[in-house]
Amino acid sequence: MKIIQANVIVCCPGRNFITLKIITDEGLYGVGDATLNGREKSVVSYLEDYVVPMLIGKDPQRIED
């Protein structure tokens, strides 16, 4: 099983929240909160530019990484 996609989701029910959705080649997915109040754009940029490309192709069961 490998990570094939990771989506950064920004939503705003009163304030900005950032969620990262990780999808595997077997159709499994997981979501996690990445909100940092007052620094949402920085977090989105970091996730999209650095973290997501690093995750693609990795084993999602290695949660300690």
Side-chain angles (χ1 to χ4, degrees):
M1 181 169 28
K2 293 186 184 213
I3 296 171
I4 60 167
Q5 185 177 354
N7 301 324
V8 179
I9 303 163
V10 180
C11 59
C12 184
R15 67 174 198 200
N16 291 327
F17 289 97
I18 302 167
T19 302
L20 180 64
K21 181 177 182 181
I22 298 175
I23 304 167
T24 71
D25 58 352
E26 294 185 8
L28 298 173
Y29 68 89
V31 294
D33 178 49
T35 303
L36 178 61
N37 294 331
R39 299 288 183 242
E40 294 86 358
K41 290 181 180 181
S42 298
V43 174
V44 170
S45 177
Y46 175 70
L47 289 173
E48 290 178 342
D49 295 344
Y50 298 102
V51 176
V52 170
M54 189 174 56
L55 289 175
I56 303 301
K58 301 289 182 171
D59 182 354
Q61 295 179 358
R62 295 192 56 157
I63 61 172
E64 70 279 359
D65 289 349

